[in-house]
Amino acid sequence: MARFDETSSFGAQRASIVTGSRTTLQIEDSILRMVARPVPEEMFGSETLTRLVEEMWMCMIDAGGVGIAAPQVGISWRLFIGSASSILPSTVFVNPEVEFHGEASVLGEEGCLSVPGWRSAKVLRHSKVTVRYRDMDGGSHVETYEGLAARVIQHEFDHLNGKLFIDIDDSPEVDDTLRRRAMRAMAEMEDRMKARSEADA
Ligand code: NI
């Protein structure tokens, strides 16, 4: 879930949607730290995928965001959506692959619904990315994005690899309590993964 001040024009759309009790997973949840699996081939064009994406749209719009990834609603699949008025047309990215252009050299502001209360102005991103992705019916697409759209995509793509923007946030003003919660969640996740691999061995 990415939130950016530049795109607070979501109010009108938000008002038109009746939201239920949809919730976004929070920083402590281990699903947010897992590497998500590809959406299975048989899911393309399915009711299941349609429902999941609908739920993600509602969750995102309800929160006034510009992007949300499936792991944030508890589904560890490689899928995210994004929509930011004129900056990023509403798009569903299924099983995306991202090619990063140049160095990560642009500092910008980000927040995340899974990390409430934590915003940073110092998140380093690439200025340009090319994304290869499938749509909900399985069609293949390639698009190149720059600036804020590229930032949204990098933020959401990170969610599919168990990464949060706070991992690459280096700002001194970051709230200490939140940073401690994040560190604890990461440590617990690592312990769990270690226990699992020992059990498998
Ligand atoms: Ni996020």
Side-chain angles (χ1 to χ4, degrees):
M1 167 82 222
R3 300 181 80 173
F4 302 95
D5 287 336
E6 293 85 345
T7 49
S8 52
S9 58
F10 258 99
Q13 286 189 42
R14 201 191 315 186
S16 70
I17 290 190
V18 179
T19 54
S21 56
R22 288 175 182 78
T23 52
T24 309
L25 297 187
Q26 303 293 286
I27 191 169
E28 292 89 349
D29 202 296
S30 60
I31 286 182
L32 292 174
R33 289 304 184 175
M34 290 163 68
V35 175
R37 285 164 297 135
V39 173
E41 203 59 36
E42 63 268 26
M43 282 299 152
F44 288 100
S46 71
E47 182 79 0
T48 306
L49 187 59
T50 305
R51 284 223 192 107
L52 170 61
V53 169
E54 267 171 22
E55 185 176 322
M56 288 168 64
W57 280 123
M58 289 209 225
C59 210
M60 186 194 89
I61 292 167
D62 190 37
V66 292
I68 193 167
Q72 291 184 276
V73 296
I75 306 296
S76 191
W77 274 355
R78 303 190 76 76
L79 157 66
F80 66 82
I81 60 175
S83 178
S85 54
S86 60
I87 296 161
L88 174 63
S90 299
T91 311
V92 180
F93 298 88
V94 186
N95 294 343
E97 288 169 35
V98 177
E99 180 192 337
F100 304 94
H101 297 276
E103 298 294 311
S105 59
V106 189
L107 282 176
E109 184 170 6
E110 293 185 26
C112 181
L113 241 209
S114 295
V115 191
W118 190 332
R119 292 189 67 83
S120 170
K122 295 189 175 164
V123 183
L124 208 53
R125 298 289 188 189
H126 296 260
S127 62
K128 189 173 166 185
V129 293
T130 297
V131 191
R132 279 160 223 284
Y133 64 96
R134 311 275 297 276
D135 58 38
M136 292 167 66
D137 293 318
S140 298
H141 304 267
V142 184
E143 293 283 348
T144 295
Y145 300 91
E146 296 185 56
L148 254 183
R151 177 171 293 275
V152 173
I153 283 160
Q154 288 168 85
H155 178 114
E156 301 310 333
F157 185 67
D158 274 355
H159 274 300
L160 309 186
N161 292 324
K163 287 197 240 166
L164 299 175
F165 80 103
I166 52 176
D167 303 343
I168 53 170
D169 171 23
D170 205 22
S171 50
E173 66 269 24
V174 158
D175 177 270
D176 279 342
T177 315
L178 269 168
R179 196 184 276 284
R180 277 199 301 274
R181 281 171 65 195
M183 294 308 155
R184 202 159 53 227
M186 277 184 253
E188 281 170 11
M189 186 61 198
E190 275 164 24
D191 287 349
R192 236 171 281 152
M193 305 262 274
K194 207 187 292 174
R196 199 177 302 164
S197 65
E198 278 165 10
D200 289 345

